[in-house]
Amino acid sequence: MNLLDLTSDKARAFLLKEESYINFDLPPYFVFSKLLKTLSATIEGKPLSGFYVSDRELRPCKREGVNYKILSNKDGKYAWRPFQLIHPALYVSLVHEITETSNWALIRNRFKELKSPNIECFSLPVVSESKKTDRAEQVLHWWEEVEQQSISLGLEYDYVFHTDIVDCYGAIYTHSIAWALHGKEVAKKKQRTEIIGNIIDRHIRDMSYGQTNGIPQGSVLMDFVAEIVLLYIDHLLSEKLDCIAGEFQIIRYRDDYRIFVNSPQVGDLIIKELTEVLSGLGMKLNPHKTQQSNHPTHSAIKPDKFFWFSNKRESENLLEFLYIISSLAEKYPNSGTVSILMKTLYTQLDKTTKGKQKKITDPVVLVSVVTDIALRNPRVYPFASAIISQLLSKVGDNNSKEALLHKVFRKFAKIPNTGTLQIWLQRIALPFEATLEYTETLCKRVGSDEVQIWDSVWLNDKLQKLITETLIIDRKKIGKLSPVIPLAEVDLFKTEYY
């Protein structure tokens, strides 16, 4: 089921889960559940503004570091993505507002009103009903709905166009949230009214130094807010395409569009109309990712995955297999298939540890290649860290381990915005107390609970104290860390699925 299938109470509980608050990978000793739960109980039934300090110059919209940004390099060069740990007080307050009974009913009804017959969306947050995590269910949902349905549509259509929105989260105009939920004319007339669209808008501006462009990335809550705007875009596009209804089918997963048609001219028309809709909201399509294919069943599969299916090669020789992965990563950097192969490599290394395969003779050589792959494929940081921890276990004493880890650390220091990588290298270093010079604030917080993550000076003493004194680092878990990172720490699915 998806988030909209839940009652307001259950939707609130879902969004207040730690897994919803932060949906990118951190080691298991980062814990936010207690902080979210305590804040929720404290502000229940009260506006967050009732906890502000009296000085209006200290309002959150006038503070730059309210949310915490953690930078993730996207390509091993100069592209990067800012994930954000939303200020927990603002996060909890916004969840409460959205899931207030009448607001939740309005949102659910609005999604029904805006639903378009020829545009199917499969990216609403998924609620796991099994032992799998919500994130794992979300990815499986993509595979079962988007990929499989795309293949099926190859029976009905001769062409498919692929396109997506440039920097979607960073380009969303916050006022458009109210337009989506209430209609543009109504929203403009009620700019100063406490309607839910304006409340969401204001919360996001409070998180973003008052800016009206962009929403924070890194939580299920903001994925849902993005869906509100994207559904509105679907609706506007559908209205423009009424005259060709029945001649096309569009599948959207977040900002990624697959447009199935029987005529390339119709596909071009839809791309044109979508461009105009987006332009009215200050957004635009990515010309480098806008492509046409007359082979829908092939293009339904992501290029990296299709390439691997067509050229599948594996090897029990670990170095050879690493170079196979490296070659694929060079052709399709930062792809899901590279992540899957890194997981396969981890399991092969695990067999050597248990004596089921030939022993590793030179782990330093393997560490060098793994580091090179991770350098250009930030998506695999957690898996690469787990593999490096395996290889370090084959290196002599702790001094030798630390010397090798320093070489890896220095290699990554040459590229910008590697905060997430530092966090995972710290996870490797903690069990044998290696000393590294971290610049990432979350790494420093692991070293001391006195290090502050969020700017909270706009809150009264009660809430500031609650946020300061509620621990987000579980030191008992740190004390129990295994020197070799177990697969369960980095594997989204815990079992094979691919």
Side-chain angles (χ1 to χ4, degrees):
M1 68 171 68
N2 67 52
L3 180 56
L4 289 177
D5 295 322
L6 303 180
T7 63
S8 58
D9 288 343
K10 289 184 177 179
R12 177 172 297 186
F14 173 79
L15 291 171
L16 288 176
K17 290 197 304 184
E18 181 173 272
E19 189 183 352
S20 299
Y21 173 64
I22 175 169
N23 64 358
F24 54 92
D25 296 309
L26 289 178
Y29 43 82
F30 286 96
V31 290
F32 300 95
S33 52
K34 183 178 179 181
L35 178 58
L36 296 171
K37 183 177 180 180
T38 307
L39 277 169
S40 181
T42 302
I43 70 173
E44 177 73 44
K46 305 166 189 172
L48 185 61
S49 57
F51 296 90
Y52 288 0
V53 294
S54 57
D55 188 348
R56 299 188 66 84
E57 292 302 311
L58 292 180
R59 291 292 182 263
C61 63
K62 297 185 178 182
R63 306 289 300 177
E64 191 167 7
V66 172
N67 285 1
Y68 179 72
K69 293 182 181 179
I70 175 171
L71 304 179
S72 178
N73 195 290
K74 289 176 66 176
D75 61 356
K77 295 179 182 177
Y78 307 111
W80 55 278
R81 173 186 290 122
F83 292 121
Q84 296 192 38
L85 290 177
I86 295 174
H87 193 288
L90 284 168
Y91 183 90
V92 170
S93 173
L94 182 51
V95 169
H96 281 203
E97 294 283 5
I98 286 175
T99 57
E100 188 274 326
T101 305
S102 61
N103 288 338
W104 188 242
L106 182 151
I107 290 170
R108 293 175 73 186
N109 288 334
R110 186 60 171 164
F111 267 83
K112 291 177 183 177
E113 291 172 6
L114 294 179
K115 186 174 175 59
S116 307
N118 293 94
I119 305 176
E120 290 189 86
C121 164
F122 293 112
S123 47
L124 280 166
V126 170
V127 182
S128 176
E129 297 180 271
S130 68
K131 292 182 179 180
K132 294 185 180 71
T133 64
D134 296 323
R135 285 180 64 203
E137 288 287 5
Q138 189 82 42
V139 176
L140 284 172
H141 179 69
W142 178 90
W143 178 73
E144 291 169 353
E145 299 294 346
V146 177
E147 190 174 85
Q148 300 298 296
Q149 185 149 335
S150 294
I151 295 172
S152 298
L153 286 171
L155 283 171
E156 302 175 50
Y157 296 95
D158 298 328
Y159 300 89
V160 61
F161 287 68
H162 290 263
T163 190
D164 69 12
I165 300 171
V166 175
D167 186 24
C168 178
Y169 282 52
I172 289 175
Y173 182 48
T174 60
H175 293 343
S176 68
I177 299 166
W179 301 353
L181 287 175
H182 309 285
K184 193 170 184 178
E185 290 186 9
V186 172
K188 282 185 171 292
K189 289 177 182 178
K190 295 186 175 183
Q191 285 182 344
R192 299 186 181 278
T193 308
E194 286 293 283
I195 54 177
I196 185 58
N198 291 342
I199 291 170
I200 298 171
D201 179 2
R202 186 177 65 247
H203 273 75
I204 293 174
R205 285 185 284 118
D206 281 346
M207 301 170 187
S208 311
Y209 202 23
Q211 295 180 31
T212 56
N213 275 75
I215 66 173
Q217 188 168 356
S219 68
V220 172
L221 177 62
M222 287 299 137
D223 291 343
F224 182 61
V225 171
E227 284 301 324
I228 293 172
V229 176
L230 289 165
L231 186 74
Y232 180 56
I233 292 169
D234 292 347
H235 173 72
L236 295 176
L237 176 62
S238 183
E239 288 185 329
K240 282 178 165 286
L241 300 177
D242 276 346
C243 60
I244 59 168
E247 297 181 21
F248 68 93
Q249 183 66 45
I250 299 174
I251 291 178
R252 179 178 62 77
Y253 189 87
R254 295 190 179 151
D255 64 333
D256 178 83
Y257 291 84
R258 297 178 178 211
I259 302 166
F260 294 84
V261 293
N262 283 317
S263 161
Q265 288 76 25
V266 172
D268 287 334
L269 172 62
I270 293 173
I271 293 289
K272 169 186 170 293
E273 298 293 358
L274 178 56
T275 299
E276 291 184 1
V277 169
L278 291 172
S279 178
L281 296 170
M283 306 169 84
K284 58 185 178 180
L285 292 178
N286 189 335
H288 303 296
K289 293 186 178 180
T290 301
Q291 300 172 343
Q292 171 195 335
S293 169
N294 62 354
H295 209 326
T297 54
H298 277 201
S299 60
I301 306 294
K302 286 194 171 182
D304 58 293
K305 191 173 177 182
F306 188 82
F307 179 84
W308 180 248
F309 286 166
S310 307
N311 301 274
K312 201 166 186 178
R313 288 178 57 225
E314 292 189 23
S315 172
E316 291 190 3
N317 180 294
L318 294 173
L319 183 58
E320 183 179 331
F321 188 38
L322 264 173
Y323 274 109
I324 291 171
I325 298 173
S326 180
S327 176
L328 177 71
E330 196 73 28
K331 186 174 181 65
Y332 298 104
N334 228 23
S335 66
T337 303
V338 174
S339 295
I340 295 299
L341 294 179
M342 292 293 276
K343 176 181 174 179
T344 304
L345 176 65
Y346 181 100
T347 57
Q348 286 196 18
L349 280 165
D350 199 39
K351 290 177 182 177
T352 67
T353 302
K354 295 172 181 175
K356 295 180 181 179
Q357 284 190 358
K358 187 178 178 181
K359 297 294 182 183
I360 298 169
T361 56
D362 196 344
V364 177
V365 171
L366 300 180
V367 167
S368 179
V369 184
V370 171
T371 300
D372 185 69
I373 292 171
L375 197 70
R376 293 166 174 79
N377 299 270
R379 184 172 182 169
V380 306
Y381 283 168
F383 274 122
S385 300
I387 291 167
I388 290 170
S389 74
Q390 286 179 307
L391 295 170
L392 282 177
S393 70
K394 313 296 182 185
V395 176
D397 56 22
N398 282 354
N399 288 336
S400 300
K401 290 180 171 68
E402 183 167 353
L404 182 54
L405 191 56
H406 271 283
K407 289 181 180 180
V408 174
F409 195 84
R410 285 195 295 271
K411 186 79 172 178
F412 280 96
K414 297 175 183 178
I415 63 174
N417 304 323
T418 54
T420 50
L421 189 277
Q422 284 193 31
I423 289 168
W424 282 101
L425 291 182
Q426 184 181 45
R427 165 60 185 93
I428 299 172
L430 283 171
F432 61 94
E433 299 179 349
T435 303
L436 298 172
E437 293 296 324
Y438 305 109
T439 57
E440 169 55 48
T441 303
L442 285 178
C443 293
K444 295 177 181 178
R445 178 62 180 256
V446 173
S448 170
D449 290 321
E450 300 300 315
V451 175
Q452 294 305 305
I453 305 299
W454 305 280
D455 178 348
S456 300
V457 299
W458 47 279
L459 289 170
N460 65 20
D461 290 342
K462 179 181 179 180
L463 236 57
Q464 277 200 54
K465 185 177 180 182
L466 188 157
I467 292 167
T468 302
E469 295 185 356
T470 303
L471 300 180
I472 61 170
I473 305 297
D474 188 331
R475 305 209 174 275
K476 288 184 179 179
K477 286 186 178 181
I478 290 178
K480 296 177 182 178
L481 289 176
S482 165
V484 174
I485 299 175
L487 191 60
E489 278 190 32
V490 296
D491 182 19
L492 184 64
F493 290 88
K494 315 298 187 264
T495 55
E496 289 292 345
Y497 79 101
Y498 191 78

